[in-house]
Amino acid sequence: MTEKIDPEHQEQHIVGPPVYLTIVITLLVLTAVTTGVAFIDLGVFNPIIALAIACFKASLVVLFFMHIKYSSRLLKMTVLCGLFTFMLLMTLTMTDYISRAWGMW
Amino acid sequence: MSHISPVLWQFLVNWFKNFAVFPPEASTIAPYADALYFALVGVTITGLVLVFAMVTFFSIRYRKDRHPEAVQIEGSTVLEATWTLIPLGIFLVFFVWGALLYFRIYNAPPNAMNVYVVGKQWMWKVEHPGGQHEINALHIPAGIPIQVTLISQDVFHSFSIPAFRVKREAIPGRYTTVFFQATRPGKYHLFCTQYCGTDHSGMVGWVYVMAPDDYRAWAAGNTSGASLAQNGERLFAVMGCNACHTGTSQARGPNLFGLYNSRVRMTDGSTMVANEAYLREKILNPSLHVPAGFVPIMPNYQGQISESGLIDLVEYIKSLDSNYRLHQMMNKSVLDSAQPEPIGSANQGAGAAPVPGVQKP
Amino acid sequence: MDSHSVATAPGELVGGVDPHSHPSFLRHHFESVGQQREAASFGMWIFLLTEVMFFGGMFCAYLIFRNWYHPAFVAGSNTLDITLGTTNTAVLIGSSFTMAMAVYSAEMRRRSQLILFLTLTIVLGFAFLGIKAVEYHQKFVDHHIPGPNFSIQEFVHPSNPHAIPLSPDMAQKTQIYFSLYFAMTGMHALHMIIGISLLFFMVWRASQNAYTEGHIMPVENFGLYWHFVDIVWIFLFPLLYLISRYR
Amino acid sequence: MSTIISLPDQATARLPRKSFLNEEYGIKSWLLTGDHKRIAILYLVSITFFFVIGGALAGLIRMELLTPPSDLMATDTYNKVFSMHGIIMIFLFLVPSVPATIGNFLIPLMVGARDLAFPKINLLSWYLYMAGGLIIFAAMVLGGVDSGWTFTTPLSTHYLNTHVTTAAIGIFLAGFSSIFTGLNFIVTVHRMRCPGMTWFRLPLFVWSHYATSIIMILGTPVLAITLVLVALERTLDIGVFDPSKGGDPLLFQHLFWFYSHPAVYIMILPGMAVISEVISTFSRKRVFGYTAVAFSSVAIAVFGFLVWEHHMFIMGVSQYSALVFSLLTMLVAVPSAIKIFNWTMTLYRGSITFETPMLYAFGFMGLFTIGGLTGVFLATLGMDVHLTETYFIVAHFHFVMVGGMLMAYLAGIHFWWPKMTGRMYPEAISKVSAIVTFIGFIVTFFPQFLLGYLGMPRRYASYPADFQVLNVFSTAGATILGIGYLLPMLYLPWSLVYGAIAGDNPWQATGLEWQIQSPPLTVNFVEIPVMDHEAYDYEWLANKTVHEVQTVG
Ligand code: HEA
Ligand code: HEA
Ligand code: CUA
Ligand SMILES: [Cu+2]
């Protein structure tokens, strides 16, 4: 129903430098990993791994740098809502492209 | 005013003489479409009358003079469910009905006679299998299933014959098809319905539905001498296709005999149906799909062959398929049976047998 | 049980600021600082949703064409300089870090630290754009910019050390790849440029003590924007640079 | 549970001494205002301007179509005329019509807030709108655009040398204006509700606008990027939509309709918002099935994103995906039906009066039902093949957009005119104009259904003579329609000076906005109200004279 803005718990959660440092180092390491993996032939798994790593990195940024982990449920829903619509655009467009009779896919 | 009224008068008179609020039904599709249409109209009227009746009745019965005290009502789950489910049910019926019709319109029977139409700003160029060319006109025999294969040279156009209740977009770079079978000889409107620039409204023509005899007479009188397939055969030699597609086992390119409408296995393991679109794509972008067992050495002919040339080539490759030829022969025999004496190249392009240069393996 | 009624109840501490003290940055139509901040960050997130959909259109195009013209995308991708690309990713991630630290400094009300981190973010932002400019220039030299001067030379001749040469029809399709490459990275760079301009403004405001008196909303929201731009790049990098590098 | 409301007589009402209209004077106080009510007025004036232009272009269209050949203007000119008509009417009139004027004015009032969450962004959105509008206007004056409002590629990218890019930029800006409006609404509804205003005490007006805003923020950016790509294709020659480079023109259609189908719900949901308020008020009854109506708004918004391909059924999309989208389209039609039936049932056992807004609302119900059900014709695959790109579509969308939304807009303008200006519109003549509009509308657009089934293609400057009679009807109707729209443009300004003083609550309506003075103060509420009753609680209103809850004296 109504999302809660409870003032007491709304006391801004301040994320400190240690967390940020951990995150940024993880991100840099993952960048190296994703570049490295790209040079290994894994067939169909290459793009999948690349995207998986990218998604993971993005989630780190969203959760920690952008404080979603510490934010209200409303903001969490907002992020999900954006993802959902984006997936709608992709998947429903794909229903056309994958099933086109002339088989460009 | 003085300018308008005579015009109005004149056309009111015309109108009563020729009361046109409904297009002629001139194809086998039309009765199906009209049935669906009237069913939809019926539901619309029912729904409208329902809403209208309720609104009118309530307005009279519960107007303030008669009913000064409003009675507060929360709502009713039963009623909500009723008017959710009933319209949903009705809509779903129409979904199924419409889908069936859609598949009927866009999937031609295998024996359909193939006519090619190229759209360009702002005219329709029609190419019959027998090699007849027309501009902004389409002559077809009644009673024979016809598949129109469309393509555009520039922008989107749309090939619309209201009397047949069919229409299909002509798309640049891709074949689309539409199917119909005319029933009544006559002359019907042909429109371009997709907005295509300045002279969009001038991209109109006529469809002439003729009795099979008349059609054959017309076809005989209008042939340019060579059928599409024959033109294609010539092109096949001129462009050097036959250098590789010799049809022999040592050839560098695959054998094209019987290729049309067969399933081709690709190097990546998938299979594709070798339809018109596939053939066209092979000539323009050969490396997009490479059949298994071949090295992609085929040169691409982008920019070297016009759309009509492509159609010729495609029709030629199609004619190498005995099944296809058989189907076209059946059409021909339908046409022939109408009149005993055989007439020239009415439909013989597709049936033009042994093609030199390509032998049966 | 509505929460706003709580917000007007007296004596409540909202977001660490007494709601009745009415600091100068509290705008008249808000009841409390807490409400104002909630509204602002929610608004920012909504805006980021629109940005997701904005880039989403191009990602959709990318997905389709990548699958249609995979060899062309491989070849196109292999012409990109992977060192520059990886460096740029690192630079941008670094700038995200400095931005996060800037927000932290504002929360801690440390003015000089805030200015420092904002400035660092600017520097890294410029570094990113600089590297991008080098890459663009390289594309220009190679005639890989879509349009009349586009050349498929490199993709049809075996002179290209990375890729197997493509057949001419497929090589033509690299133009689609580069169209998307320029559209996507271009839009991204545009966002960076806007971001950097805003950063300059914020450094100036920060030096006037604007964000270190409890009113950290602008810094926080700008942070969200900057991180979002970073996320876009996190996806662009593997999608554009890392297609079948092993060739 | 029956309700008779007897509020204090409005006849003695006087204009309040102070209101948002006279708080400050001078052009600057308007152009730099942060007040949502003033911004609403700015919008009202500017969209009326664009409506007149769009309407004049419609007049030109109808005049040209009076006779079969293209004799009034060259085909080229005609193409520009209908393109500009579509672009102006959709992007500069209908999309902002209700939300940016009535919505802007009312949403803070209805949720009990002092203003929208971001007043400056609200003002910015008006400036973006004006910038976009003027650029489009410039494109028109400098020679016009002939791409149709749908910018079909590759026509728009490679075959036209008119001001397509300029118009695209204008639409881009207007699009961002609507994004910001939506953003503001969502944040306001979530964050600015007054104490006691729970989600299910919100007026349905707010629910509908909330749903609209979802579409605005999630759909519009896709249009923006699509237009950017079109502009890049024209200027820099990139190849994403160009078939000769290997691009896919259908991708453009996908992206364009991903916005433009949901956009048609941007264009109708706010209208439905108005109708809910009007019907409830003039039957003195709570809207039947409040929750169903509220959720159907959200359902329309969400399902609206799933059906865009029904604009492309014959354009060479895969037949299987056409099936999926046809099915989904059927689903999205249901919530609209729910609404119509709930409104009808709201009348049941009400105490109905027939003021002008109510007449418009009845018009809406009838015309929207026809328009919506003919939408179902188009969603039916096999039928769409025959009907698409004909006048049947033109009739369909004018029924929903003009018969639906424009009626609702006029209903809303009349309904809240007393609140906005403090004065009543003249009742008799406005009733006449409502009826004239209705008749004119039917005569204009009903024949187009017949024309469409006959097969007359849309966007035709010249047409075969068989179609003339119906076209003459249509043109004649458009004249009547024009008069119907001209009348309010005359008597509403007139009423600003000569209209009767309205008083706070001339309709005896329950919304928070009616409990304050009209026109309201700049701060809206002297003291933030506390909501202690449901929306449309006429019992509460009937007892109101006993417990005075008024926030502004
Ligand atoms: C305000 C704008 C608006 C609205 C609300 C709608 C609503 C709908 N539209 Fe429309 N549409 C347009 C504006 C709008 N449309 C425009 C502008 C175009 C053309 C664009 C262009 O090409 O230029 C278009 C085109 C268009 C097409 C594409 C046609 C084509 O190009 O081939 C289709 C196809 O499915 C369609 C379908 C629908 C449907 C199913 C609805 C549904 O949402 C309607 C739902 C409503 C109802 C169903 C009525 C209420 C129901 C009842 C009262 C129940 C009745 C009772 C019983 C069933 C017993 N519309
Ligand atoms: C909100 C949207 C909206 C509105 C309100 C209207 C209103 C009208 N429209 Fe429009 N129309 C569209 C949206 C709209 N239209 C769209 C999107 C298209 C498709 C464009 C495309 O294909 O790209 C279209 C296309 C379209 C066509 C088809 C053109 C074609 O395909 O060839 C026609 C033809 O009759 C038409 C007519 C009308 C008429 C008679 C009105 C009337 O309701 C207008 C009546 C109003 C007035 C007349 C103004 C008020 C009066 C005055 C200010 C007095 C002064 C007036 C004069 C001097 C004339 N419109
Ligand atoms: Cu061709 Cu319209
Ligand atoms: Cu639609």
Side-chain angles (χ1 to χ4, degrees):
Chain A
M1 272 234 325
T2 64
E3 76 297 342
K4 295 202 178 64
I5 341 159
D6 191 346
E8 273 138 332
H9 297 97
Q10 211 47 48
E11 173 65 70
Q12 191 73 9
H13 190 289
I14 296 181
V15 191
V19 179
Y20 288 151
L21 261 179
T22 328
I23 299 300
V24 78
I25 290 171
T26 323
L27 287 176
L28 289 176
V29 169
L30 284 175
T31 305
V33 170
T34 193
T35 313
V37 167
F39 285 95
I40 308 168
D41 187 354
L42 297 170
V44 286
F45 288 106
N46 273 94
I48 294 178
I49 289 180
L51 273 184
I53 294 181
C55 288
F56 184 66
K57 280 162 78 180
S59 334
L60 287 184
V61 176
V62 170
L63 287 176
F64 295 98
F65 281 178
M66 298 168 96
H67 303 166
I68 277 297
K69 182 157 189 282
Y70 315 102
S71 299
S72 59
R73 215 179 42 168
L74 173 66
L75 290 193
K76 290 184 177 136
M77 293 298 288
T78 310
V79 176
L80 287 181
C81 177
L83 280 183
F84 176 73
T85 322
F86 174 64
M87 293 316 282
L88 273 186
L89 170 63
M90 293 294 221
T91 45
L92 283 179
T93 309
M94 285 310 134
T95 60
D96 173 18
Y97 284 90
I98 21 185
S99 60
R100 278 202 196 156
W102 58 319
M104 272 290 237
W105 253 55
Chain B
M1 219 40 211
S2 58
H3 177 67
I4 294 173
S5 14
V7 176
L8 197 63
W9 177 246
Q10 177 189 341
F11 278 92
L12 277 180
V13 170
N14 250 353
W15 193 34
F16 284 114
K17 274 196 275 181
N18 185 13
F19 192 82
V21 287
F22 198 73
E25 275 185 346
S27 77
T28 51
I29 297 288
Y32 291 103
D34 289 343
L36 178 52
Y37 179 66
F38 287 119
L40 279 161
V41 170
V43 168
T44 305
I45 290 177
T46 318
L48 194 64
V49 165
L50 198 71
V51 173
F52 189 80
M54 290 209 296
V55 169
T56 319
F57 176 74
F58 292 155
S59 300
I60 295 170
R61 174 66 188 78
Y62 299 112
R63 66 180 193 275
K64 192 167 187 172
D65 311 349
R66 273 190 66 179
H67 197 251
E69 298 184 29
V71 180
Q72 301 301 323
I73 304 167
E74 253 317 295
S76 150
T77 320
V78 180
L79 277 180
E80 298 294 345
T82 319
W83 58 57
T84 307
L85 294 180
I86 292 183
L88 180 64
I90 296 177
F91 294 159
L92 288 183
V93 169
F94 283 113
F95 159 67
V96 176
W97 192 342
L100 292 175
L101 182 59
Y102 184 72
F103 279 79
R104 188 190 287 271
I105 295 173
Y106 285 149
N107 296 297
N111 65 336
M113 168 180 150
N114 211 336
V115 178
Y116 290 87
V117 174
V118 180
K120 57 175 275 197
Q121 280 177 335
W122 291 276
M123 58 162 85
W124 295 110
K125 291 195 295 188
V126 177
E127 309 196 352
H128 291 262
Q132 297 84 358
H133 295 273
E134 342 178 36
I135 297 226
N136 287 343
L138 171 64
H139 287 79
I140 46 167
I144 290 195
I146 296 192
Q147 183 181 40
V148 176
T149 302
L150 293 150
I151 192 153
S152 161
Q153 276 181 13
D154 35 43
V155 301
F156 279 76
H157 301 276
S158 183
F159 186 81
S160 160
I161 310 170
F164 296 172
R165 315 285 190 275
V166 296
K167 162 181 306 125
R168 182 63 148 180
E169 211 107 337
I171 303 176
R174 242 173 86 187
Y175 287 125
T176 50
T177 60
V178 60
F179 153 75
F180 50 78
Q181 177 173 343
T183 49
R184 271 203 282 149
K187 183 179 165 198
Y188 305 104
H189 281 297
L190 163 65
F191 294 123
C192 168
T193 51
Q194 174 64 273
Y195 176 61
C196 53
T198 307
D199 231 355
H200 164 59
S201 60
M203 198 164 158
V204 296
W206 295 99
V207 176
Y208 300 90
V209 178
M210 313 166 108
D213 307 358
D214 299 341
Y215 175 74
R216 267 182 302 126
W218 172 85
N222 282 276
T223 181
S224 56
S227 72
L228 290 188
Q230 285 164 342
N231 282 336
E233 188 183 346
R234 205 171 306 140
L235 257 179
F236 200 73
V238 172
M239 306 297 297
C241 315
N242 50 8
C244 302
H245 299 283
T246 54
T248 59
S249 50
Q250 303 91 330
R252 287 192 289 166
N255 184 359
L256 303 183
F257 191 90
L259 172 66
Y260 178 65
N261 258 343
S262 66
R263 290 204 149 262
V264 185
R265 178 164 291 282
M266 298 293 138
T267 32
D268 63 2
S270 61
T271 60
M272 298 185 72
V273 177
N275 51 15
E276 288 91 343
Y278 173 81
L279 298 180
R280 179 177 188 280
E281 206 55 51
K282 276 312 298 181
I283 301 170
L284 292 182
N285 294 312
S287 60
L288 268 188
H289 309 287
V290 180
F294 288 92
V295 199
I297 49 160
M298 173 160 160
N300 78 335
Y301 290 87
Q302 220 158 45
Q304 301 175 33
I305 312 182
S306 68
E307 285 301 342
S308 322
L310 282 167
I311 286 173
D312 293 342
L313 277 174
V314 166
E315 192 60 17
Y316 167 64
I317 297 173
K318 281 166 73 174
S319 74
L320 299 178
D321 174 43
S322 46
N323 262 332
Y324 179 71
R325 222 161 41 218
L326 201 74
H327 285 310
Q328 297 299 310
M329 294 288 278
M330 275 155 54
N331 279 335
K332 189 164 137 54
S333 61
V334 172
L335 285 174
D336 285 346
S337 66
Q339 196 182 327
E341 57 183 279
I343 291 194
S345 42
N347 214 359
Q348 58 109 255
V355 185
V358 181
Q359 284 109 25
K360 259 195 159 128
Chain C
M1 142 85 219
D2 192 88
S3 36
H4 294 284
S5 53
V6 187
T8 46
E12 200 89 44
L13 272 185
V14 180
V17 182
D18 180 9
H20 291 279
S21 67
H22 281 279
S24 56
F25 55 83
L26 176 62
R27 300 190 43 88
H28 78 282
H29 59 290
F30 287 110
E31 280 300 297
S32 69
V33 175
Q35 189 192 20
Q36 176 169 354
R37 188 170 53 210
E38 275 287 325
S41 71
F42 185 43
M44 191 64 206
W45 273 103
I46 301 274
F47 179 71
L48 293 185
L49 284 201
T50 70
E51 290 278 29
V52 169
M53 295 312 292
F54 187 80
F55 281 97
M58 285 186 292
F59 278 107
C60 189
Y62 173 89
L63 178 62
I64 290 160
F65 291 123
R66 176 181 167 144
N67 282 283
W68 277 7
Y69 307 131
H70 192 257
F73 270 54
V74 172
S77 171
N78 274 275
T79 63
L80 300 184
D81 187 328
I82 190 138
T83 332
L84 292 183
T86 318
T87 320
N88 240 355
T89 314
V91 168
L92 205 54
I93 289 176
S95 83
S96 240
F97 171 69
T98 55
M99 193 59 224
M101 286 306 293
V103 175
Y104 173 75
S105 319
E107 280 166 341
M108 295 281 108
R109 308 193 176 193
R110 295 178 192 148
R111 187 165 66 105
S112 47
Q113 196 184 330
L114 170 64
I115 296 179
L116 171 73
F117 278 117
L118 288 179
T119 318
L120 274 179
T121 314
I122 294 184
V123 170
L124 288 173
F126 270 121
F128 178 90
L129 287 180
I131 297 179
K132 201 81 238 151
V134 172
E135 290 190 71
Y136 276 10
H137 178 72
Q138 189 56 43
K139 297 289 106 191
F140 180 74
V141 172
D142 292 347
H143 291 285
H144 284 168
I145 299 195
N149 289 328
F150 188 79
S151 145
I152 55 167
Q153 274 300 316
E154 192 176 337
F155 304 110
V156 284
H157 285 299
S159 57
N160 178 6
H162 305 293
I164 45 166
L166 299 171
S167 65
D169 61 307
M170 188 51 88
Q172 274 301 335
K173 305 298 187 294
T174 53
Q175 193 163 351
I176 299 276
Y177 170 79
F178 284 110
S179 294
L180 282 170
Y181 170 79
F182 280 106
M184 293 170 111
T185 58
M187 277 299 146
H188 179 260
L190 187 66
H191 278 79
M192 296 281 297
I193 292 170
I194 294 173
I196 291 176
S197 324
L198 288 174
L199 273 171
F200 274 113
F201 173 73
M202 291 180 61
V203 170
W204 173 65
R205 290 286 290 150
S207 68
Q208 296 179 335
N209 237 342
Y211 308 125
T212 34
E213 309 273 68
H215 184 40
I216 60 162
M217 215 50 245
V219 185
E220 217 168 65
N221 272 351
F222 179 79
L224 292 180
Y225 174 81
W226 194 260
H227 297 310
F228 171 79
V229 176
D230 184 26
I231 290 179
V232 172
W233 184 260
I234 285 181
F235 282 100
L236 288 185
F237 173 62
L239 292 182
L240 293 174
Y241 286 76
L242 299 183
I243 312 176
S244 303
R245 274 284 167 179
Y246 48 82
R247 285 273 165 82
Chain D
M1 283 241 297
S2 47
T3 330
I4 305 187
I5 302 161
S6 48
L7 290 181
D9 194 4
Q10 302 281 332
T12 60
R14 322 180 53 181
L15 273 188
R17 242 179 323 107
K18 224 173 112 196
S19 71
F20 79 98
L21 288 171
N22 60 14
E23 173 103 3
E24 278 180 287
Y25 291 99
I27 190 92
K28 222 176 115 188
S29 74
W30 282 89
L31 291 184
L32 297 179
T33 182
D35 182 4
H36 64 104
K37 299 181 288 301
R38 286 193 163 203
I39 296 172
I41 305 284
L42 289 178
Y43 263 116
L44 181 64
V45 173
S46 31
I47 69 170
T48 309
F49 170 73
F50 284 114
F51 175 70
V52 170
I53 297 181
L57 291 169
L60 286 179
I61 295 181
R62 285 315 327 167
M63 231 115 86
E64 161 63 57
L65 293 180
L66 195 56
T67 51
S70 59
D71 40 12
L72 182 65
M73 43 186 137
T75 51
D76 215 18
T77 320
Y78 179 81
N79 295 343
K80 289 174 180 165
V81 167
F82 76 71
S83 302
M84 290 315 300
H85 167 68
I87 292 173
I88 288 181
M89 282 299 198
I90 294 224
F91 296 109
L92 299 182
F93 173 65
L94 209 57
V95 167
S97 62
V98 173
T101 57
I102 307 180
N104 225 337
F105 196 95
L106 288 170
I107 284 185
L109 297 177
M110 284 184 165
V111 304
R114 292 231 154 83
D115 204 327
L116 286 175
F118 309 112
K120 283 186 187 155
I121 291 187
N122 198 13
L123 184 64
L124 171 69
S125 104
W126 181 72
Y127 276 104
L128 284 175
Y129 169 80
M130 282 314 280
L134 292 179
I135 289 176
I136 292 173
F137 191 65
M140 179 171 102
V141 175
L142 294 178
V145 177
D146 57 351
S147 58
W149 82 280
T150 49
F151 290 90
T152 318
T153 53
L155 179 69
S156 67
T157 48
H158 287 89
Y159 292 87
L160 298 177
N161 45 17
T162 49
H163 298 273
V164 178
T165 315
T166 322
I169 294 170
I171 294 173
F172 183 91
L173 292 177
F176 268 88
S177 143
S178 115
I179 288 178
F180 286 137
T181 306
L183 190 155
N184 236 330
F185 285 177
I186 289 202
V187 177
T188 307
V189 174
H190 269 282
R191 285 281 168 259
M192 310 285 285
R193 281 170 289 132
C194 69
M197 181 64 84
T198 58
W199 279 94
F200 290 95
R201 284 180 180 174
L202 286 174
L204 289 169
F205 186 90
V206 178
W207 272 99
S208 249
H209 274 79
Y210 182 74
T212 312
S213 311
I214 295 179
I215 305 178
M216 284 176 167
I217 58 163
L218 290 174
T220 320
V222 180
L223 175 74
I225 188 63
T226 314
L227 290 177
V228 167
L229 289 176
V230 166
L232 287 180
E233 201 135 315
R234 280 183 74 86
T235 49
L236 303 181
D237 223 10
I238 70 169
V240 181
F241 301 138
D242 180 3
S244 67
K245 286 202 174 72
D248 186 14
L250 269 195
L251 179 62
F252 170 85
Q253 299 290 329
H254 276 294
L255 294 178
F256 180 84
W257 291 111
F258 181 84
Y259 164 76
S260 291
H261 180 81
V264 309
Y265 296 119
I266 296 180
M267 297 177 228
I268 199 70
L269 279 168
M272 295 168 156
V274 172
I275 301 302
S276 295
E277 300 297 312
V278 169
I279 298 227
S280 160
T281 300
F282 293 111
S283 43
R284 318 266 160 243
K285 258 190 79 207
R286 186 183 157 80
V287 173
F288 189 89
Y290 171 96
T291 29
V293 179
F295 280 129
S296 64
S297 296
V298 179
I300 290 180
V302 174
F303 282 107
F305 276 108
L306 309 179
V307 302
W308 75 83
E309 206 187 273
H310 65 213
H311 295 270
M312 311 158 57
F313 281 158
I314 70 157
M315 284 199 183
V317 296
S318 120
Q319 294 179 1
Y320 307 101
S321 125
L323 271 187
V324 173
F325 276 89
S326 171
L327 179 64
L328 290 170
T329 308
M330 296 303 173
L331 299 186
V332 79
V334 173
S336 304
I338 295 178
K339 278 175 186 272
I340 292 277
F341 287 119
N342 276 304
W343 290 325
T344 314
M345 279 307 283
T346 306
L347 300 174
Y348 174 65
R349 308 195 69 183
S351 173
I352 306 168
T353 50
F354 302 94
E355 279 83 355
T356 312
M358 192 63 159
L359 296 188
Y360 277 117
F362 284 159
F364 173 97
M365 302 240 290
L367 299 181
F368 176 75
T369 303
I370 303 181
L373 284 169
T374 49
V376 176
F377 285 48
L378 300 170
T380 307
L381 284 168
M383 203 72 257
D384 185 57
V385 173
H386 178 51
L387 295 177
T388 187
E389 294 158 1
T390 65
Y391 263 79
F392 196 92
I393 291 193
V394 176
H396 156 67
F397 67 70
H398 282 94
F399 263 76
V400 276
M401 298 204 297
V402 185
M405 184 63 161
L406 196 50
M407 288 271 175
Y409 173 69
L410 287 171
I413 289 290
H414 284 91
F415 186 61
W416 281 290
W417 190 252
K419 184 50 65 184
M420 290 167 128
T421 65
R423 292 191 183 258
M424 298 300 291
Y425 55 84
E427 187 69 40
I429 181 156
S430 65
K431 275 190 176 139
V432 170
S433 88
I435 292 165
V436 168
T437 314
F438 185 81
I439 296 173
F441 182 86
I442 294 280
V443 179
T444 311
F445 292 109
F446 192 77
Q448 296 188 353
F449 282 126
L450 303 175
L451 275 176
Y453 203 75
L454 272 174
M456 173 162 166
R458 62 190 287 204
R459 298 169 170 178
Y460 261 30
S462 59
Y463 55 89
D466 347 359
F467 301 144
Q468 185 172 12
V469 176
L470 290 168
N471 269 304
V472 170
F473 271 99
S474 190
T475 303
T479 319
I480 306 176
L481 192 56
I483 294 171
Y485 291 137
L486 200 59
L487 284 175
M489 283 186 223
L490 297 177
Y491 65 70
L492 286 180
W494 174 88
S495 78
L496 284 179
V497 184
Y498 302 105
I501 309 289
D504 297 349
N505 193 353
W507 309 129
Q508 316 196 340
T510 56
L512 272 183
E513 80 271 25
W514 295 108
Q515 315 311 323
I516 57 175
Q517 67 173 38
S518 12
L521 289 170
T522 304
V523 290
N524 293 352
F525 302 96
V526 177
E527 203 173 293
I528 286 297
V530 177
M531 189 72 172
D532 54 5
H533 54 89
E534 305 286 295
Y536 314 111
D537 191 343
Y538 289 90
E539 314 274 316
W540 169 83
L541 190 67
N543 296 329
K544 202 179 104 156
T545 34
V546 191
H547 330 273
E548 191 61 59
V549 215
Q550 203 126 332
T551 27
V552 175

